[in-house]
Amino acid sequence: MLKNPPVRCALLGVAVLALTACGGGSGGGSEKVTLTYRLWDEQQKAGYEQVMAAFEKANPGIDVRIELLPYDQYWTKLTADAVAGTAPDVFWMTPTQFPEYVTKGVLAPVQAEAAKYHQTVVGSFTYQGKLYGVPKDWGVVGLLYNKDLFKQAGVEMPDQLTWKADGTGTLLDLARKLTVDEAGKHPGESGFDPAKVKTYGFASWNHYQTQWMNWVSSNGGKLVDKPFGKYAFNDPASVQALQFGVDLVNKHHVSPPATRTNPPTGKVTDMFTAGQIAMFPANNALLPFVAPESTFEVGVAPMPQGPQGRVVNLNGLAEAVYAKSDHPEEAMKLAAYLGTEEPQKLMADGGYAFPARDGLAQGYVDYWKAKKVDVAPFVEEASGATFALPVTTGFTGFETKLNQIFNQMYLGELSPQQAADQAVAEGNATVE
């Protein structure tokens, strides 16, 4: 799944220690139990209405109330509810938020056949040898590209793009051919004006999930030294990778300047849908938002292969169960059901997400094929080397500072080494 904009959960670190024994969800009567299921994706809610109808039919003693909250409210509300002892019975959980909740006793361990799910998702929700969320789905970073711009440039997407920290490899060569200024010049040609670029070959920008964390991992660097451990991305291999990402912008001029792309106000997605960027690393979860807005045919390719191979972020969600639910047995039954083949296939066939359960991805592929988008490269990537976003305490509070530091790096105000050293120090100060 796509990692959404940051939301603070600062209250959780201390206030959850005051959890009461009050149950979550809405109180059940003697005849029928009502469970509350919370999510943040309005598009997926439609699919889950079908899923819950099937669950209720098979379990006539249980009603499920779906509660939709916008992402920017989701975590703040969940934190407050956990503090008050009134959290929903079952709810979505992400790898970066997981450590804050599991270490404070908010989540109940679940029973699931871990071998049947993508192992990166399983690992993202494992703590002290126990699984604390039924694997729900996954999203993986791939390369979206504008087929029209490729045709105009007279180039084709190769089977495999490559990159190295020194700028060699097929990615940069291709990006140069796809970058054109208002006079029709390309980077490296006499008269090329980087201040008047009409179309950029590539989008390199400060987005950790789809950008620099993939460069770091594909260059042999480490994000954290171990799960629930310390940040480590200021080592030489990581810094080399960060330099590569920045050089695409400030040295090679094949990517838009950070003044146009830095979060939280950057417009890089809009630039891609407007036909101003040829290649755009993105999580497949962005497709429902990008494909309908694009006036060109969207292609999908695997991410470029780095010196240590291709290593891409795979970000999964889990169905978490509230440890203080009034109805623990029924909540566990619902979470277990959501991890079975029937509901996960329904969500895949509806084009909502790749299911975490192995062997069901084809439905998602077929859905997007009918919309003339071949998402098979995402499946190919997911079967290779993947990594989770940092699973360690404090990330949610560190995220804003991390983006501030790396914004400066992409602007050229800090060197990659300076930015990495500062970010690692700041981040490790938040790890409990």
Side-chain angles (χ1 to χ4, degrees):
M1 288 293 296
L2 179 67
K3 177 68 172 65
N4 289 276
V7 178
R8 302 284 63 81
C9 289
L11 289 175
L12 192 61
V14 290
V16 168
L17 297 176
L19 280 171
T20 70
C22 297
S26 53
S30 58
E31 296 182 0
K32 184 169 281 194
V33 166
T34 299
L35 299 176
T36 299
Y37 178 77
R38 186 178 293 174
L39 46 70
W40 64 72
D41 189 320
E42 186 172 2
Q43 291 185 325
Q44 290 199 44
K45 182 176 182 288
Y48 274 98
E49 287 172 349
Q50 300 178 56
V51 168
M52 297 310 176
F55 175 78
E56 290 174 341
K57 184 176 181 180
N59 298 273
I62 306 175
D63 282 341
V64 181
R65 181 172 66 90
I66 300 176
E67 186 176 81
L68 174 71
L69 284 179
Y71 192 88
D72 60 358
Q73 300 174 21
Y74 184 94
W75 299 108
T76 303
K77 183 73 163 63
L78 185 59
T79 298
D81 289 342
V83 171
T86 57
D89 300 283
V90 184
F91 50 92
W92 287 4
M93 182 53 57
T94 67
T96 53
Q97 297 280 355
F98 172 67
E100 305 301 325
Y101 289 87
V102 73
T103 57
K104 304 302 186 295
V106 177
L107 312 181
V110 299
Q111 298 296 321
E113 295 182 73
K116 292 188 175 182
Y117 302 93
H118 197 291
Q119 291 305 290
T120 297
V121 184
V122 172
S124 297
F125 299 100
T126 299
Y127 178 61
Q128 296 182 342
K130 294 181 180 180
L131 187 62
Y132 283 84
V134 177
K136 167 184 151 26
D137 62 25
W138 54 260
V140 70
V141 177
L143 195 60
L144 306 185
Y145 66 97
N146 183 325
K147 290 189 174 183
D148 288 357
L149 290 180
F150 270 68
K151 290 177 182 177
Q152 291 173 22
V155 297
E156 295 183 356
M157 178 65 76
D159 292 336
Q160 179 60 64
L161 287 168
T162 60
W163 71 272
K164 290 184 179 179
D166 63 4
T168 58
T170 57
L171 172 62
L172 182 55
D173 287 341
L174 182 60
R176 285 193 180 106
K177 293 174 182 176
L178 290 159
T179 302
V180 186
D181 70 8
E182 294 176 357
K185 300 288 187 178
H186 302 274
E189 291 184 351
S190 177
F192 172 75
D193 188 349
K196 295 182 178 180
V197 173
K198 182 179 178 182
T199 57
Y200 290 93
F202 192 83
S204 178
W205 63 296
N206 180 21
H207 191 254
Y208 56 78
Q209 183 187 4
T210 64
Q211 293 283 329
W212 62 265
M213 287 187 177
N214 297 272
W215 306 134
V216 165
S217 298
S218 296
N219 201 46
K222 276 193 171 184
L223 301 175
V224 290
D225 57 2
K226 61 181 179 180
F228 292 85
K230 298 284 190 177
Y231 296 102
F233 54 82
N234 60 341
D235 62 293
S238 298
V239 172
Q240 281 184 346
L242 295 175
Q243 185 71 62
F244 171 76
V246 171
D247 282 349
L248 291 175
V249 180
N250 299 326
K251 179 180 178 181
H252 303 301
H253 305 294
V254 297
S255 292
T259 52
R260 300 180 66 183
T261 63
N262 270 352
T265 59
K267 302 294 184 182
V268 65
T269 303
D270 294 340
M271 292 180 69
F272 176 71
T273 58
Q276 298 170 1
I277 293 173
M279 294 183 284
F280 181 42
N283 187 290
N284 63 277
L286 197 64
L287 280 173
F289 305 95
V290 169
E293 299 296 324
S294 301
T295 58
F296 51 85
E297 188 175 354
V298 177
V300 180
M303 283 289 280
Q305 180 173 302
Q308 298 300 316
R310 185 199 305 123
V311 189
V312 295
N313 172 251
L314 186 140
N315 192 43
L317 298 186
E319 310 281 8
V321 176
Y322 181 39
K324 301 294 183 180
S325 170
D326 275 340
H327 313 292
E329 183 178 342
E330 291 85 356
M332 285 293 179
K333 181 177 286 189
L334 173 59
Y337 171 75
L338 295 175
T340 61
E341 182 171 335
E342 181 184 359
Q344 295 217 353
K345 185 176 187 302
L346 187 151
M347 296 303 290
D349 293 353
Y352 297 106
F354 280 115
R357 195 177 182 94
D358 292 334
L360 302 177
Q362 190 59 45
Y364 184 86
V365 174
D366 291 342
Y367 174 90
W368 283 103
K369 185 176 182 180
K371 295 183 177 296
K372 298 183 178 180
V373 180
D374 181 9
V375 299
F378 288 121
V379 181
E380 174 191 341
E381 290 182 313
S383 65
T386 61
F387 67 92
L389 292 176
V391 179
T392 195
T393 57
F395 184 82
T396 55
F398 166 51
E399 188 178 25
T400 296
K401 187 63 177 178
L402 172 64
N403 276 330
Q404 290 172 350
I405 295 168
F406 274 42
N407 275 351
Q408 291 179 277
M409 180 183 74
Y410 276 85
L411 287 167
E413 297 171 357
L414 291 175
S415 72
Q417 186 71 66
Q418 290 171 326
D421 285 342
Q422 185 177 338
V424 166
E426 295 268 2
N428 286 338
T430 69
V431 175
E432 297 179 6

